[in-house]
C-alpha cells in the first residue's frame, strides 16, 4: 500500500502555516520567559486527510490530535509511527480502541472513563498518558470535572495501574480579549499547582490549553501542550463534522 501525497502547493501551504505557528510559539515563549522546549505543539488534524498529516510529519511534526474515533483509527492504521492523542468526547462503550491505539488522552472527563481506559490498556503497552478535562466555565452542558471535585478524582486515578495521570486539560469558552483569555488559563494553572502540592509524588507536569485563537495567552500562563488545528491546516469543512 502506498501512502497518499499532498500536492506541492498544499505542501507549501502547510509548511508556511507550520512556520507561522512556530514563530508565534517562539515569540510567546520569549515574552513569557520560557524555553521553547517547554511547550509542545499538538497538530489537531480532525477532518483533515492523511496526506496533510504526512506532509507535516515530513517537516518534523510528530504529535497529532484527533476528535473522532473512527476517523482517527483509519489514520493511525496507516501511520502508526506517529504519536496520536485523543482529544474528543468519549463514549464509555468506545474506550477500548482508544486504550489500544493512542499514546495520550486529553479528554478524560469522568472517572468511569479513566477506569475503563486503565482496564483496557494492553498490559504489554506503555502506560497510557492521560489528562483530566476541567470544565472551567461551569456550564452544566459542558464536559469535564468541576474544580471542587478534582482532588478526589485525582487520588482515585493515581491508583489505576495502566494509565499515568500527567495533568489537566481545558477547552474554555472563546474569549476575544487577551486578559480574559489569560485569566481563565491562569485558573487551570493554579489548579494544577494545588494538585502538585497535594500529590507531590505524582508526575503532574502537563497543561493542555490554548488553540489557534489563544495560544499566546495559554503560553503566558504555562501551557505545555497547545492544540492547534485551524492555523496549521486551514479552516475545517463544517459538513457533517466540526
Ligand atoms: C478542534 C480542537 C482544537 C483545535 O482548535 P483550532 O481552533 O482549530 O486550533 C483544539 N482542541 C480541541 C479539543 C479541539 O476539539
Amino acid at each position: 500500500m502506498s501512502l497518499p501525497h499532498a500536492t506541492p502547493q498544499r505542501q507549501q501551504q502547510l509548511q508556511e502555516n507550520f512556520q507561522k505557528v512556530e514563530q508565534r510559539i517562539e515569540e510567546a515563549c520569549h515574552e513569557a520567559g520560557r524555553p521553547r522546549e517547554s511547550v509542545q505543539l499538538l497538530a489537531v488534524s480532525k477532518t483533515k486527510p492523511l496526506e496533510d498529516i504526512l506532509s507535516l510529519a515530513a517537516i518534523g511534526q510528530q504529535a497529532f490530535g484527533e476528535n473522532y474515533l473512527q476517523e482517527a483509527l483509519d489514520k493511525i492504521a496507516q501511520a502508526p509511527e506517529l504519536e496520536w492523542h485523543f482529544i474528543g468526547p468519549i463514549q464509555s462503550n468506545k474506550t477500548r480502541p482508544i486504550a489500544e491505539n493512542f499514546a495520550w488522552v486529553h479528554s478524560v472527563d469522568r472517572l468511569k472513563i479513566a477506569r475503563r481506559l486503565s482496564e483496557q490498556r494492553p498490559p504489554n503497552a506503555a502506560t497510557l498518558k492521560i489528562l483530566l478535562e476541567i470544565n472551567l466555565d461551569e456550564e452544566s452542558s459542558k464536559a469535564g470535572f468541576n474544580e471542587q471535585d478534582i482532588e478526589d478524582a485525582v487520588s482515585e486515578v493515581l491508583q489505576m495501574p495502566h494509565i499515568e495521570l500527567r495533568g489537566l486539560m481545558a477547552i474554555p469558552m472563546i474569549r476575544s480579549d487577551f486578559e480574559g483569555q489569560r485569566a481563565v488559563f491562569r485558573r487551570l494553572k493554579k489548579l494544577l499547582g494545588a494538585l502538585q502540592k497535594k500529590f507531590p509524588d505524582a508526575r503532574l507536569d502537563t497543561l493542555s490549553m490554548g488553540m489557534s485563537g489563544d495560544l499566546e495567552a495559554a503560553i503566558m500562563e504555562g501551557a505545555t501542550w497547545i492544540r492547534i488545528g485551524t492555523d496549521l491546516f486551514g479552516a475545517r469543512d463544517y459538513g457533517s463534522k466540526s
Side-chain angles (χ1 to χ4, degrees), residues 22 25-26 29-30 34-41 223-225:
E22 176 56 34
I25 297 171
E26 280 171 24
C29 282
H30 182 74
R34 300 179 55 188
R36 169 64 187 87
E37 319 79 75
S38 66
V39 180
Q40 298 193 77
L41 172 60
T224 64
W225 279 109

Side-chain angles (χ1 to χ4, degrees), residues 67-180:
N67 293 55
Y68 307 107
L69 185 57
Q70 192 52 55
E71 176 190 339
L73 294 175
D74 292 344
K75 292 171 179 172
I76 295 170
Q78 296 182 80
E81 69 284 3
L82 300 175
E83 183 180 285
W84 294 96
H85 295 226
F86 194 77
I87 64 172
I90 304 176
Q91 290 171 265
S92 61
N93 62 346
K94 297 286 175 58
T95 48
R96 183 176 297 279
I98 296 176
E100 289 175 347
N101 287 281
F102 288 83
W104 286 76
V105 181
H106 292 224
S107 47
V108 176
D109 63 351
R110 51 205 196 277
L111 277 174
K112 182 182 184 185
I113 299 298
R115 207 171 291 124
R116 291 175 66 93
L117 290 172
S118 180
E119 285 165 7
Q120 294 169 340
R121 182 68 166 176
N124 57 335
T127 52
L128 178 65
K129 298 179 189 71
I130 71 152
L131 305 175
L132 298 182
E133 180 173 350
I134 306 295
N135 180 0
L136 287 175
D137 296 308
E138 273 140 37
E139 297 167 57
S140 50
S141 63
K142 268 193 126 181
F145 292 90
N146 292 321
E147 293 180 64
Q148 61 273 18
D149 302 331
I150 194 65
E151 237 182 67
D152 290 345
V154 168
S155 69
E156 285 209 42
V157 171
L158 288 172
Q159 309 299 318
M160 299 178 186
H162 302 293
I163 57 179
E164 181 187 13
L165 178 64
R166 291 293 294 273
L168 303 176
M169 176 268 214
I171 317 172
M173 260 168 23
I174 305 213
R175 293 168 172 80
S176 54
D177 66 302
F178 189 63
E179 284 311 316

Side-chain angles (χ1 to χ4, degrees), residues 19-34 36 215-216 219-220:
Q19 281 164 352
K20 277 189 208 146
V21 168
E22 176 56 34
Q23 195 166 4
R24 285 172 65 195
I25 297 171
E26 280 171 24
E27 281 167 14
C29 282
H30 182 74
E31 188 70 24
R34 300 179 55 188
R36 169 64 187 87
L215 73 88
E216 285 85 359
I219 289 173
M220 289 304 290

